[in-house]
């Protein structure tokens, strides 16, 4: 087994490949992302601490450097992507979370951002499980795949997402609340389109990441097969979503790493049958599949045209890193399918809570919920809902937060079955509850006039029963952490000064 990055002039099938980079040891090299000027590329390989690190090399094979600092002995950094302003988005396991279904033995990596020199690292995504395959959209946003089991069907839980490069505006792109596709790996936009893309459809269990090559248009629909345009091969045939766990195990040919040359022509890695070798092919929407290069005994992956591409617009950062909070505006809780059939005026408040994910080597199927919810919920409090169905309130930034609509008796009418996150200082907004993303609505006068977000009212349990914040936190403050407040401390004493709460009230302290 050998690993290398190679170049190939594919006008002739017998053209020899030229090695651009080959590691000194037989380490994997992959996740290649070419700079917009085609003069440099990022990739993942083993670096300092014998961990995955982000590397950069010039297109002529010179100037190799490790970008990620790699100071931590137990953190992997990989799957990098250039941003138009020169910064880099990448995956990092610095979350110290573990995938719950395997007891936390697989370590979770979420998307982070860093400067071109590896400094200024900041976490962007706060997901239960892994993020994958970040790629730029023509409009300057970032598209990526999010894996989560949070209150969703566990075999159908990988949702294509998009966000601004600074982490604001995180929203579904395709597949939320859908049973097909199970996962959508290596999605890339078609040239010049913000809604059309190609991706690899795969199952949850079964073969890894490989699968069927399908074209989509999110403008036609974002759930199930509503936005599926065509399977390749499959010209002229409708795409029908099949609800199945091991979705593509018996489907051939299998594909990986599609790259759109035009809206009809694609570079792709393909294996035509179980006995075939992975090679690089030129595929089109008319079912033509032309072999460009195949090497007996080797697998060829990740084809990229070595050419300049259009640099998307650089979206200016909207975060305010000095603000520990974010503001949430819900236009009308009765909009969308979440509260379909619930009479207007029934919802009096929203319960706001956050998910606490399991750490490495922790968690599992039966610790929190029996084959159901796998995460602890921490109730932040409740916020009022106006007569017109609108609500505006504060949440802690950088926290996975969800809401439950409550009636006049404090009884839940629905569960969000997902979550949202606000970056520091961000204004998060939505139309309603489980509304379709292509849906919009005009602001009412009452909603527009109500612009000041409220702080959640802390929850103290039924009939002011047990409360951690009221019963336990004062004991911790008095005997454990109160003297670690950053005031007049002896040299070297840890400072536990609170910075991640939505109010200065001691009753909302978090440790």
């Amino acid at each position: 087994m050998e690993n290398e990055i190679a170049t190939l002039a594919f006008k002739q099938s017998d053209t020899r490949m030229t090695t651009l980079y080959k590691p000194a040891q037989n380490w994997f090299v992959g996740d290649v992302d070419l700079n917009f000027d085609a003069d440099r590329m990022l990739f993942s390989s083993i670096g300092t601490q014998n961990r995955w690190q982000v590397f950069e090399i010039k297109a002529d094979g010179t100037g190799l450097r490790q970008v990620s600092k790699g100071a931590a002995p137990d953190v992997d950094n990989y799957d990098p992507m250039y941003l138009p302003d020169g910064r880099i988005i990448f995956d990092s396991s610095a979350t110290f979370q573990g995938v719950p279904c395997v007891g936390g033995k697989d370590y979770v990596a979420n998307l982070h951002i860093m400067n071109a020199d590896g400094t200024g690292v900041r976490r962007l995504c706060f997901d239960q499980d892994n993020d994958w395959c970040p790629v730029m959209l023509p409009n300057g946003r970032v598209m990526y795949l999010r894996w989560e089991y949070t209150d969703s069907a566990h075999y159908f839980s990988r949702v294509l997402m998009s966000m601004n490069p600074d982490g604001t505006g995180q929203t579904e792109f395709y597949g939320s609340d859908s049973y097909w596709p199970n996962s959508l790996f290596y999605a890339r936009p078609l040239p010049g389109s913000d809604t059309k893309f190609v991706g690899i459809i795969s199952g949850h269990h079964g073969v890894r990441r490989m699968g069927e090559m399908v074209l989509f248009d999110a403008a036609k629909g974002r759930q199930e097969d509503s936005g599926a345009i065509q399977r390749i091969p499959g010209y002229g045939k409708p795409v029908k979503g099949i609800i199945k766990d091991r979705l593509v195990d018996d489907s051939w040919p299998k594909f990986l790493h599609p790259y759109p040359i035009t809206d009809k022509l694609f570079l792709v890695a393909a294996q035509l049958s179980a006995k075939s070798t992975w090679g690089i092919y030129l595929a089109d929407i008319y079912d033509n599949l032309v072999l460009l290069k195949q090497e007996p005994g080797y697998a060829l992956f990740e084809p990229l045209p070595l050419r300049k591409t259009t640099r998307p617009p650089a979206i200016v950062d909207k975060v305010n890193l000095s603000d520990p909070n974010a503001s949430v505006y819900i236009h009308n809780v009765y909009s969308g399918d979440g509260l379909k059939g619930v009479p207007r005026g029934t919802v009096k408040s929203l319960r706001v809570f956050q998910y606490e994910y399991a750490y490495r080597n922790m968690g599992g199927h039966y610790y929190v919920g029996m084959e159901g919810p796998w995460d602890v919920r921490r109730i932040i409090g409740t916020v009022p809902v106006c007569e017109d169905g609108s609500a505006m309130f504060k949440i802690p930034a950088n926290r996975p937060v969800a809401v439950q609509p409550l009636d006049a008796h404090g009884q839940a009418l629905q569960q969000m079955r997902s979550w949202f996150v606000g970056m520091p200082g961000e204004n998060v907004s939505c139309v309603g509850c489980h509304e379709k993303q292509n849906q919009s609505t005009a602001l009412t006068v009452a909603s527009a006039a109500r612009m000041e977000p409220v702080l959640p009212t802390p929850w103290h349990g039924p009939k002011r029963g047990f409360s951690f914040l009221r019963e336990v936190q004062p004991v911790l403050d008095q005997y454990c952490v109160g003297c670690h407040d950053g005031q007049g401390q002896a040299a070297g004493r840890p400072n536990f000064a609170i910075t991640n709460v939505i109010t200065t009230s001691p009753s909302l302290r978090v440790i």
Side-chain angles (χ1 to χ4, degrees), residues 249-483:
D249 285 17
D250 300 320
S251 178
W252 297 96
K254 286 186 170 63
F255 295 96
L256 278 170
H257 313 124
Y259 190 100
I261 304 297
T262 69
D263 60 349
K264 298 179 176 64
L265 195 62
F266 308 85
L267 283 173
V268 68
Q271 185 184 30
L272 302 189
S273 70
K275 296 182 179 180
S276 301
T277 300
W278 281 93
I280 304 301
Y281 288 80
L282 192 63
D284 65 24
I285 64 170
Y286 308 108
D287 293 351
N288 295 303
L289 200 59
V290 179
L291 177 64
L292 299 180
K293 190 64 178 178
Q294 197 172 56
E295 285 284 309
Y298 293 86
L300 305 184
F301 297 125
E302 298 189 47
L304 294 171
L306 189 55
R307 66 176 187 182
K308 292 183 179 181
T309 54
T310 302
R311 186 184 297 268
I315 299 177
V316 177
D317 285 0
K318 302 175 183 180
V319 295
N320 177 7
L321 298 181
S322 64
D323 191 343
N325 310 318
S327 297
V328 179
Y329 174 71
I330 299 176
H331 172 69
N332 185 355
V333 296
Y334 301 103
S335 294
D337 294 333
L339 292 176
K340 189 175 182 179
V342 175
R344 286 182 172 273
T346 305
V347 181
K348 302 301 183 182
S349 61
L350 299 174
R351 176 181 292 129
V352 184
F353 63 95
Q354 73 179 55
Y355 292 95
E356 298 286 354
Y357 299 139
Y359 296 114
R360 295 179 177 182
N361 303 309
M362 296 176 62
H365 290 244
Y366 310 113
Y367 289 99
V368 177
M370 299 293 285
E371 288 292 355
W374 289 345
D375 308 296
V376 174
R377 280 83 163 149
R378 187 181 74 84
I379 297 177
I380 296 173
T382 56
V383 295
V385 173
C386 294
E387 291 184 3
D388 63 358
S390 66
M392 194 170 188
F393 52 94
K394 292 276 192 180
I395 60 171
N398 298 336
R399 297 288 185 274
V401 171
V403 297
Q404 282 182 323
L406 308 178
D407 63 15
H409 303 288
Q411 298 172 330
L413 298 165
Q414 180 57 283
Q415 168 79 3
M416 186 174 180
R417 292 194 180 88
S418 187
W419 55 266
F420 58 92
V421 65
M423 292 290 104
E426 182 182 1
N427 294 316
V428 184
S429 64
C430 63
V431 174
C433 290
H434 299 290
E435 81 281 2
K436 302 240 178 346
Q437 191 185 140
N438 293 2
Q439 173 185 345
S440 64
T441 184
L443 289 176
T444 64
V445 175
S447 296
R450 186 177 181 274
M451 298 301 295
E452 186 65 31
V454 300
L455 295 172
T457 300
W459 182 75
H460 296 300
K463 297 182 180 179
R464 293 193 60 82
F466 173 80
S467 166
F468 181 96
L469 294 173
R470 197 173 63 253
E471 267 73 62
V472 180
Q473 188 70 58
V475 178
L476 296 176
D477 290 344
Q478 180 67 32
Y479 298 104
C480 302
V481 299
C483 58

Side-chain angles (χ1 to χ4, degrees), residues 81 83-84 89 135-144 161-165 167-173 189 194 312-313 315 318 437:
M81 181 204 73
L83 288 173
I89 282 181
V135 64
M136 289 300 304
L137 291 169
N139 60 10
R141 285 174 63 83
V142 178
M143 183 167 64
Y144 61 100
M161 302 284 292
S162 70
M163 66 178 176
N164 294 323
T168 59
Q170 295 183 24
T171 186
E172 61 137 346
F173 197 86
D194 295 326
I315 299 177
K318 302 175 183 180
Q437 191 185 140

Side-chain angles (χ1 to χ4, degrees), residues 95 110-112 123-127 131 144 163 170 423:
T95 64
N110 285 172
L111 293 179
H112 291 59
R123 185 175 175 182
L124 301 179
C125 295
F126 295 80
D127 302 331
D131 300 317
Y144 61 100
M163 66 178 176
Q170 295 183 24
M423 292 290 104

Side-chain angles (χ1 to χ4, degrees), residues 117-251:
D117 62 358
T119 62
V121 175
R122 180 171 67 87
R123 185 175 175 182
L124 301 179
C125 295
F126 295 80
D127 302 331
Q128 180 198 53
D129 289 304
N130 292 284
D131 300 317
W132 287 301
C133 313
V135 64
M136 289 300 304
L137 291 169
N139 60 10
R141 285 174 63 83
V142 178
M143 183 167 64
Y144 61 100
L145 187 65
R146 181 176 95 178
W147 177 20
E148 62 162 289
Y149 292 124
T150 307
D151 292 323
S152 61
H154 291 171
Y155 293 172
F156 314 93
S157 54
R158 291 159 179 178
V159 180
L160 199 61
M161 302 284 292
S162 70
M163 66 178 176
N164 294 323
D166 67 349
T168 59
Q170 295 183 24
T171 186
E172 61 137 346
F173 197 86
Y174 201 95
S176 178
D177 198 25
S178 297
Y179 286 87
W180 184 93
N182 307 52
S183 55
L184 228 170
F185 284 104
Y186 306 112
R188 284 186 178 273
L190 301 192
S193 177
D194 295 326
T195 62
K196 295 180 180 179
F197 63 95
V198 61
I200 302 301
I201 298 304
S202 191
H204 182 76
H205 299 105
V207 296
R208 299 183 179 182
R209 302 198 182 191
M210 66 188 78
E212 299 173 353
M213 183 175 172
V214 179
L215 303 181
F216 292 85
D217 187 353
K220 295 181 177 295
R222 296 180 185 267
Q223 293 179 306
E224 305 292 347
D225 55 18
S226 62
I229 302 174
Q230 180 186 341
R231 178 185 169 190
I232 298 178
Y235 182 69
K237 300 177 182 178
V239 181
K240 295 295 184 183
I242 299 174
I243 300 175
K244 182 181 178 182
D245 176 21
R246 306 174 73 99
L247 184 64
V248 299
D249 285 17
D250 300 320
S251 178

